[in-house]
Every structure is written in C-alpha cells, then in structure tokens.
Amino acid sequence: MHGRRGAGTRVAAAAALVLLLGACSGPTEPDPDADPDPAASSTSSEPSAEPTVPVADPAHAVDPPGPRKDRLWSADVLVQWDKPLDDATVKQIKRLKGVAHTERIGLGQVSLENRVLTVAAVDPAAYRLFTRSDVADLQEAWDRVAGGELATDEKVARRLADDDGMIRLGLDDSAPSLHVGAYAPQVPTIDLVVNTAWAPDIEMADDNGLLISTDGTTPASIRKPLERLVGRGASVQMLDVASRLGLDPDAKLTAVPTGGTLGSLVGTYRYRVLGGGRIAPDPDWVAANIRTEVVPILGSVTCHKDLFPQLRAALLEVQQRGLADEIHPGEYAGCYYPRFIAGTTTLSNHSFGLALDLNVPGNQRGTVGAIDRDVVAIFQTWGFAWGGDWKYTDPMHFELAEVKRPG
C-alpha cells in the first residue's frame, strides 16, 4: 500500500489504512472484533513504468481525482434532507456567518445484516478534502472509489464483506454488490462511500446532503441560523460532537432508507436521541405505520403495518404444517423497538417494526441456532431474510426483505 503524504502527515499510522487490491479475497473471520489480516497484495507480478488508475466497474466509474492540490477542510456540520437540495438554499447557507466551505453529497441509509448504515454518494476529489489528512492523501483509495469500488472503515468491512470482498447494499436480491476498494476512516456518521454514478442503482439521491466546514468557528454557533434556513424537515448534525459521542444528541436525525422494499415501506424516518440507547421517532410516522394486532401462535404483537400480511401468512403455514410447537411464544423478543442496537448508535430494522426475534434462548448471536429449519424455510418463502444466513449469525432474527402479498 502506497499513498503520498505531506511532511506534516508522515507520522500518521499507515496501518490504519489498508487497501483491498484487485480481486483479492475479503476477510473470512466471522468475529467482527477479530484483528484484521495484514493487508493486501497486488494481483500483478509485473512492475509498471507508469502508475495506472484501477477501474473495477467501468459502468459505474467517474473521472479519477488525480493528486490532491486543494487545501483540506474540517468536517464540522452535516445536513441531510429527504429530497435533493435546491441551489437557492445552498447559496443562502454559503452566505451564513461562520460557513467557510460546503460540498454537496448524496446520503441514504441501507440495511445490512440488521444494521442501518449511512452511505454517501460523492465526488471523490471534493469529498476527500473533508477527510483527515492521511486519508485524503491516500491516492489509491480515491482512485478506487472513482473506479466504482467502495470505501469504508475496516471494522464494517470485516463484518459485512463476503469472501470476495463484496458488500451488497440493501436487502433486496436486486441490490447492487460493490467491491471494497479501500479501508479508510470516513467523515463522522458516514459508514460507506461510493461515487455518484452508483446513486441510481442504490435508489438514493446524489445531492440531498451538505457537508459544511466552519474552519475554526465553533460549529454550534451556526446551528440555530442553519436550522431556521433549512427548515424542520432537515437533519442538522454537529460532527465535532458526533465524533465523540457517535451522534449529535441535540439533532433531529433523519434516515432515508434506500432500495425497493425498505425504502417503499419506511419512507423518511425522523427521530431524536433520548439516552440509554432509546430514540423517539416522529409521532406522525409512528401513528401512520405502527400497529398492534393478533397473529397465529404469537398472539398480540406490535409491528409495522405492512409486516402483518406476510407474518400472518408465514405463521399460519407453520401452524398448518404441524410445526406450531417449534415456535415458543414465551421466547418471542419483540418486533418494534425504537432504540439503537445495544452498545451502538446504529438503528436496526426493529426501529421500523420490520423485524422480529423468535426462540431467543437457543438462537444467540454467532451460533448456528436451534430453530427448526422448516420454520426458517417457510419464513423465507414469505419474504423474510433469516439472520442465520449472515456472516456473523443471528438465528433468532427474521426481517422483511421482500414484499409478498398472500393470494
């Protein structure tokens, strides 16, 4: 791995930036907290007189950024809307006192193994200026993003990449899979970075977010005028706070899930952080989407309204096939839970009421699980994904992956 660094960045820890080159295999260790394998190797044994810019996916490539020439900017504020920005609003933001530099990006949320992660669609040349200096000057990383690959933190990749180093961005079978081109720390609250050519395939906007640098001015000083300007529908996060706490606790946060199934069912999900891992979703969203109904075997459950037809159909088939005793109502751990995944600031599909946990004691994380495989197959037939199929297994977990309406 090689990347140009200025004199002031040579002390940066190069080991923190690991490239996955060519078609090399991704991580195979299922434990997401295990130490990563030492880094990657080139697939070519022939030295090249001229460095080449890797293009993994010509259909999703943008112009390579070339060496960095412009100055770096601090990533101080991130604004997310649920629709593309208009030019007039951006101009007004640029005129606010304390705003030094801005960059439009696309922002969306993808569900990957029950973790709702933020993906940014960016111009690699402009976005890199908001990353820390050693990341910004890792030339090959941004060449690879421009060439159609994905950049993410190494821990995310270890958890989610398959043996070929690919990550599928969404629940649907048709969701695109991208090769992880670089492990590199990103702007706070952003988990995955792709170039803007990927935005249509991921079903996300490429200009509904704005990165803001205050360049020495305290970011909090622009919060109120910025919030007045962007309106109640936008999320305004102070990234200096997010880098310490995981999220800005004073922000009204927004998730805009991408992809056919999740995007169509959830829509725009706004929430606030309450503390203790709990969140408060927008009451109007809850009123429009969350219901308590009676279903076979389990009895009364609280879920997203659009989950019930398929959940009821799956449980009815389990019952009709004489497998009802394989599901234990006393070991059901719920469906709609407005809170983060334990120990994180990450939403799960339980936050939307689109997942449920069955037979919890015998089906813990990282195990093959004791749940009856015929029950699993029935749920899968009715459009549910099973956590037992994941790289880091969660066999109690079922989540809606495909909309199917009983006939």
Side-chain angles (χ1 to χ4, degrees):
M1 176 185 70
H2 300 281
R4 294 186 178 180
R5 294 178 172 82
T9 61
R10 286 196 174 95
V11 297
L17 304 170
V18 184
L19 289 182
L20 293 179
L21 302 180
C24 62
S25 295
T28 58
E29 171 59 54
D31 179 0
D33 295 318
D35 290 332
D37 290 337
S41 58
S42 171
T43 58
S44 173
S45 59
E46 294 294 327
S48 175
E50 294 292 333
T52 58
V53 176
V55 178
D57 188 343
H60 294 92
V62 298
D63 291 338
R68 178 176 72 86
K69 298 178 181 178
D70 298 323
R71 61 159 289 184
L72 299 179
W73 297 95
S74 54
D76 296 313
V77 183
L78 181 63
V79 187
Q80 179 176 356
W81 287 258
D82 59 357
K83 57 185 178 183
L85 296 173
D86 64 88
D87 293 339
T89 299
V90 175
K91 288 180 180 178
Q92 289 178 298
I93 291 172
K94 288 181 176 180
R95 290 197 292 264
L96 283 178
K97 183 179 180 180
V99 173
H101 190 67
T102 66
E103 173 61 22
R104 293 194 196 200
I105 61 175
L107 291 170
Q109 280 68 38
V110 295
S111 178
L112 304 173
E113 297 193 359
N114 196 37
R115 290 175 175 264
V116 180
L117 303 180
T118 296
V119 56
V122 307
D123 172 358
Y127 169 81
R128 73 194 290 188
L129 302 179
F130 285 85
T131 64
R132 72 191 202 198
S133 60
D134 55 342
V135 177
D137 289 329
L138 189 63
Q139 184 62 41
E140 189 168 7
W142 303 110
D143 287 341
R144 288 184 173 278
V145 171
E149 296 179 87
L150 175 152
T152 187
D153 180 86
E154 59 183 324
K155 187 172 182 179
V156 173
R158 286 204 312 273
R159 178 182 288 273
L160 297 174
D162 64 19
D163 290 346
D164 295 320
M166 307 293 288
I167 296 179
R168 189 172 73 179
L169 296 187
L171 294 174
D172 303 71
D173 289 340
S174 60
S177 291
L178 279 71
H179 186 260
V180 180
Y183 294 160
Q186 300 300 323
V187 168
T189 78
I190 292 176
D191 302 295
L192 309 148
V193 170
V194 301
N195 70 47
T196 52
W198 275 109
D201 292 63
I202 304 171
E203 300 185 34
M204 61 180 285
D206 63 7
D207 61 351
N208 66 327
L210 193 70
L211 271 169
I212 300 174
S213 174
T214 58
D215 199 28
T217 300
T218 302
S221 67
I222 73 167
R223 182 195 286 275
K224 288 185 179 180
L226 183 58
E227 287 179 337
R228 286 194 295 267
L229 185 56
V230 301
R232 298 178 61 186
S235 166
V236 177
Q237 295 190 66
M238 302 293 110
L239 296 182
D240 59 332
V241 178
S243 66
R244 299 193 309 271
L245 304 179
L247 288 175
D248 176 0
D250 295 324
K252 178 173 65 176
L253 301 171
T254 299
V256 185
T258 69
T261 298
L262 201 62
S264 65
L265 298 183
V266 176
T268 300
Y269 185 85
R270 297 185 174 92
Y271 64 100
R272 288 191 179 275
V273 179
L274 296 179
R278 296 175 300 123
I279 63 172
D282 177 13
D284 290 340
W285 186 93
V286 175
N289 292 282
I290 300 301
R291 302 282 187 273
T292 299
E293 298 183 12
V294 175
V295 297
I297 303 174
L298 296 176
S300 180
V301 298
T302 301
C303 301
H304 192 286
K305 61 183 175 60
D306 291 320
L307 183 77
F308 281 107
Q310 286 164 247
L311 176 60
R312 193 172 281 113
L315 291 171
L316 182 60
E317 184 172 341
V318 169
Q319 201 171 53
Q320 291 171 338
R321 289 176 56 180
L323 297 169
D325 289 346
E326 298 295 339
I327 294 178
H328 311 141
E331 297 175 358
Y332 165 70
C335 181
Y336 173 60
Y337 275 116
R339 60 181 299 115
F340 296 123
I341 295 171
T344 76
T345 53
T346 302
L347 297 175
S348 78
N349 283 341
H350 287 286
S351 307
F352 311 134
L354 291 171
L356 67 155
D357 293 334
L358 299 176
N359 296 9
V360 170
N363 293 281
Q364 296 296 303
R365 295 297 306 263
T367 72
V368 296
I371 194 161
D372 185 274
R373 296 312 193 256
D374 288 335
V375 169
V376 171
I378 290 169
F379 269 82
Q380 290 174 324
T381 297
W382 284 106
F384 289 85
W386 178 48
D389 288 332
W390 296 344
K391 182 176 179 180
Y392 185 52
T393 59
D394 189 7
M396 72 179 73
H397 182 90
F398 294 84
E399 63 186 27
L400 195 65
E402 180 184 0
V403 175
K404 292 186 176 183
R405 291 296 176 240

